[in-house]
Amino acid sequence: MAYYWSFQASLLFLLFFVATSQAQARDFTTHLHFFVHENDNSPNATAITVVNSTTSNPGGFGSIGVFDDELREGSTADSKLIGRAQGIAPEVSLSSQMAWLGLLNFVFTDGEYNGSSLAVVCRATLEGATERSIVGGTGKFRMARGYAITTFVSGAPAGHFIVEYNAYVAH
Ligand SMILES: *[C@@H]1O[C@H](CO)[C@@H](O)[C@H](O)[C@H]1NC(C)=O
Ligand SMILES: *[C@@H]1O[C@H](CO)[C@@H](O)[C@H](O)[C@H]1NC(C)=O
Ligand SMILES: *[C@@H]1O[C@H](CO)[C@@H](O)[C@H](O)[C@H]1NC(C)=O
């Protein structure tokens, strides 16, 4: 199963959204805390493989996943749903170390940022790199830029991935 996002570095959900906004001259730096929940199992999968690798590359070079993962306030399935992580993740590494180019939007559907979104471009691996670039946004996040630090929380039961996000956004 492809867990585009799920690798330790994954992307997926929000909730505490807490955050602290500090007003500076014109910018705000907001700290967002949430959890991305991905389910690779059908029915009800939030992530699917739409293109399989056409090579014998062990890492699956060229495969492409599409996801519409849940953003929740907490790491449990019953915690408040605050948005979605929608995007694609092609596998882009020819080496044995798998790597995905993640292109996605965090779309907030509840709370203070309901209706706003953040655009993320990132490189995700199974091994490590847990920092992702925030390159833009809409609504309250217009002109956003920043970064997110991710922590892999859980990969069980099989096919279910939970990743914690701490995002720092200037907007
Ligand atoms: C899939 O979602 C439907 C609708 O929410 C639910 O009734 C069903 O139990 C889910 N199936 C699984 C395997 O989670
Ligand atoms: C990709 O390969 C898997 C495993 O062989 C298969 O189950 C799946 O249907 C394939 N998906 C596509 C889009 O070809
Ligand atoms: C979020 O915003 C939409 C559009 O304005 C609105 O319809 C919806 O009720 C809001 N959701 C919450 C939970 O406030």
Side-chain angles (χ1 to χ4, degrees), residues 49-53:
T49 298
V50 293
V51 175
N52 277 322
S53 177

Side-chain angles (χ1 to χ4, degrees), residues 2-7 9-12 38 47-52 59-69 85-93 98-104 120 122-125 132:
Y3 27 94
Y4 332 110
W5 240 182
S6 349
F7 10 96
S10 359
L11 67 93
L12 322 196
E38 177 174 302
I48 59 173
T49 298
V50 293
V51 175
N52 277 322
F61 178 68
S63 65
I64 301 176
V66 174
F67 52 88
D68 183 1
D69 294 335
Q86 300 174 327
I88 63 172
E91 208 286 327
V92 293
S93 172
M98 299 171 80
W100 292 263
L101 169 63
L103 304 171
L104 64 141
V120 177
C122 65
R123 178 175 189 266
T125 67
R132 303 171 188 288

Side-chain angles (χ1 to χ4, degrees), residues 122-144:
C122 65
R123 178 175 189 266
T125 67
L126 294 173
E127 286 82 13
T130 58
E131 184 174 349
R132 303 171 188 288
S133 302
I134 294 169
V135 299
T138 65
K140 290 186 176 176
F141 293 125
R142 279 181 185 172
M143 303 293 286

Side-chain angles (χ1 to χ4, degrees), residues 99-167:
W100 292 263
L101 169 63
L103 304 171
L104 64 141
N105 287 301
F106 287 128
V107 182
F108 298 103
T109 56
D110 201 348
E112 180 181 356
Y113 301 102
N114 183 17
S116 298
S117 70
L118 288 171
V120 177
V121 175
C122 65
R123 178 175 189 266
T125 67
L126 294 173
E127 286 82 13
T130 58
E131 184 174 349
R132 303 171 188 288
S133 302
I134 294 169
V135 299
T138 65
K140 290 186 176 176
F141 293 125
R142 279 181 185 172
M143 303 293 286
R145 62 196 157 74
Y147 65 97
I149 300 296
T150 65
T151 304
F152 185 74
V153 174
S154 169
H160 292 262
F161 302 92
I162 298 171
V163 178
E164 181 177 15
Y165 270 70
N166 276 291

Side-chain angles (χ1 to χ4, degrees), residues 78-102:
D78 62 351
S79 71
K80 189 176 180 185
L81 182 69
I82 56 168
R84 313 293 299 198
Q86 300 174 327
I88 63 172
E91 208 286 327
V92 293
S93 172
L94 279 169
S95 80
S96 58
Q97 188 205 39
M98 299 171 80
W100 292 263
L101 169 63

